């Protein structure tokens, strides 16, 4: 698995991929369902499966001491992603400058121009860009104009409960 640290390290050879974006804290069963779909789509398109994640995680920047505790350290997360078969991880330095990018700029400049994303898989509640104005519908609309397929994933459920990092933290706290 190739690790790309920062947008500035994305090279021309990293263009054209199938991408998902998220924190992937814990790389739990819900994440595994998303990643298995990502890898399947990447294999169908003969492109590298790519995960974009953030360091620090966005809540750690915005909420500081009130951010939820991590389920896994970055190093452990990378090991788990590799074991699942992810080909590339792009680790974005989540700082104020990145957080202030407009949603349109993020899509056009980073996803399309830098990465050449052909297919994007995101969670059904994904929000991005300054003021969190970017959402699934915006991605679908702009993606259709720029030849980027966008697929939303439904929440993974086990025993009629949504599997999420928040649910795991709550269970650990109990």
């Amino acid at each position: 698995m190739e690790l790309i640290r920062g947008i500035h390290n994305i090279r021309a050879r990293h263009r054209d991929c199938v991408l998902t974006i998220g924190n992937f804290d814990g790389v739990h069963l819900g994440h595994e369902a998303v990643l298995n779909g990502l890898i399947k789509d990447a294999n169908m398109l003969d492109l590298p499966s790519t995960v974009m994640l953030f360091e620090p995680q966005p809540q750690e920047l915005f909420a500081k001491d009130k951010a939820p505790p991590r389920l896994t350290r970055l190093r452990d997360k990378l090991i788990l992603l590799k074991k699942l078969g992810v080909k590339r991880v792009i680790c974005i330095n989540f700082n104020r400058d990145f957080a202030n990018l407009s949603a349109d700029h993020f899509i056009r400049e980073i996803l399309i121009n830098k990465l050449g994303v052909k297919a994007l898989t995101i969670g059904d509640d994904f929000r991005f860009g300054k003021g969190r104005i970017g959402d699934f519908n915006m991605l679908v609309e702009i993606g259709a104009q720029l030849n980027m397929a966008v697929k939303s994933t439904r929440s993974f459920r086990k025993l009629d409960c949504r599997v999420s990092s928040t649910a795991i933290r709550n269970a650990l706290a109990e």
Side-chain angles (χ1 to χ4, degrees), residues 24-154:
F24 295 95
D25 191 18
V27 192
H28 52 65
L29 292 175
H31 294 142
E32 284 187 31
V34 170
L35 294 166
N36 287 335
L38 173 82
I39 292 165
K40 180 181 173 189
D41 292 347
N43 289 339
M44 282 177 34
L45 294 172
D46 196 27
L47 293 170
S49 55
T50 306
V51 171
M52 180 182 286
L53 50 82
F54 308 101
E55 189 63 34
Q57 294 177 164
Q59 285 186 316
E60 293 170 342
L61 177 72
F62 294 120
K64 305 260 186 245
D65 296 339
K66 294 181 178 139
R70 287 186 181 216
L71 296 173
T72 52
R73 296 175 299 176
L74 177 61
R75 184 179 71 197
D76 296 330
K77 188 185 311 188
L78 294 172
I79 290 168
L80 292 167
L81 291 169
K82 182 179 181 179
K83 282 183 183 177
L84 287 173
V86 170
K87 298 298 182 201
R88 283 190 194 137
V89 172
I90 303 168
C91 185
I92 302 293
N93 178 17
F94 196 86
N95 56 31
R96 293 280 175 198
D97 289 337
F98 185 81
N100 284 323
L101 291 178
S102 72
D104 188 75
H105 179 87
F106 177 74
I107 296 168
R108 292 177 190 278
E109 294 305 317
I110 296 173
L111 299 185
I112 300 299
N113 291 342
K114 276 213 174 270
L115 288 170
V117 175
K118 299 300 180 202
L120 175 67
T121 300
I122 57 166
D124 47 15
D125 57 352
F126 182 65
R127 303 293 295 218
F128 64 99
K130 185 175 182 176
R132 295 173 45 98
I133 65 162
D135 61 8
F136 177 76
N137 292 331
M138 180 183 206
L139 284 162
V140 169
E141 183 180 320
I142 296 175
Q145 297 167 18
L146 302 172
N147 199 29
M148 177 180 70
V150 180
K151 178 171 77 173
S152 179
T153 60
R154 294 182 184 251

Side-chain angles (χ1 to χ4, degrees), residues 149-164:
V150 180
K151 178 171 77 173
S152 179
T153 60
R154 294 182 184 251
S155 297
F156 181 80
R157 301 183 76 77
K158 186 152 180 107
L159 300 176
D160 204 33
C161 293
R162 180 177 181 260
V163 177
S164 70

